[in-house]
Amino acid sequence: MLKLKRLDNMDILTPDVKRLVDFYHGTLGLGFFLPYEAEEHWAAIELGNVTLYIFRTESTAPVERRTAINLKDKPGFDSFAFEVENLDDAIRALDGKVQWVTDEPIEWQHPNGTHYRYRPMFDPDGNMLYVTEPHKVHA
């Protein structure tokens, strides 16, 4: 029987590895999982217990940008999100450094009381990611 354990890694392909390294490591302050050697044209960034691999591609086709409205976007991978303790503090720290998708944070509530405050942004290639402040109700 198949027993998947955890999400190990995710990959992003980009024509400009350094630009994404500058964003994920420099702007967002994420550490390297493996030593970064620019001449190798890839990087491994720590996302908590998941590794984000950034690999070079020769294609310069643009990423199709997503919106914050799931019902309007095409099927496929949408985004990933980083949990923060305080969304307002995270927004202040990132203002002027990132391209926000929405003008204001978004709030969502599940009927059980769990709710999220979050705000989406684009990385320099146009991939969407979020900072999110979850408030989970534990049963």
Side-chain angles (χ1 to χ4, degrees):
M1 175 180 198
L2 177 65
K3 292 187 179 183
L4 301 176
K5 293 171 62 175
R6 67 177 188 85
L7 181 62
D8 179 70
N9 67 76
M10 302 181 331
D11 301 342
I12 293 180
L13 303 179
T14 180
D16 191 340
V17 172
K18 183 180 181 332
R19 180 176 63 196
L20 289 191
V21 166
D22 288 347
F23 178 76
Y24 287 98
H25 178 69
T27 301
L28 298 184
L30 299 168
F32 291 109
F33 177 70
L34 296 168
Y36 172 56
E37 297 177 21
E39 64 277 2
E40 296 294 322
H41 303 291
W42 65 271
I45 305 285
E46 291 183 340
L47 306 180
N49 67 350
V50 175
T51 303
L52 174 65
Y53 283 93
I54 301 170
F55 292 110
R56 182 176 169 266
T57 180
E58 293 178 355
S59 174
T60 58
V63 170
E64 184 171 328
R65 290 190 173 208
R66 311 294 280 184
T67 71
I69 305 168
N70 291 345
L71 292 173
K72 302 293 181 187
D73 283 335
K74 292 181 180 178
F77 183 80
D78 183 69
S79 61
F80 55 93
F82 292 100
E83 180 177 337
V84 296
E85 287 188 30
N86 185 295
L87 182 64
D88 298 319
D89 289 346
I91 289 170
R92 277 191 292 279
L94 292 170
D95 265 343
K97 298 176 184 175
V98 302
Q99 180 185 2
W100 296 111
V101 176
T102 60
D103 292 334
E104 297 294 327
I106 300 167
E107 296 192 22
W108 175 85
Q109 183 155 349
H110 188 271
N112 79 350
T114 294
H115 65 280
Y116 284 80
R117 293 183 64 235
Y118 54 93
R119 191 163 179 199
M121 69 183 104
F122 291 118
D123 74 11
D125 278 6
N127 300 297
M128 192 165 65
L129 57 146
Y130 289 81
V131 282
T132 182
E133 179 186 299
H135 299 272
K136 298 177 183 175
V137 172
H138 299 286

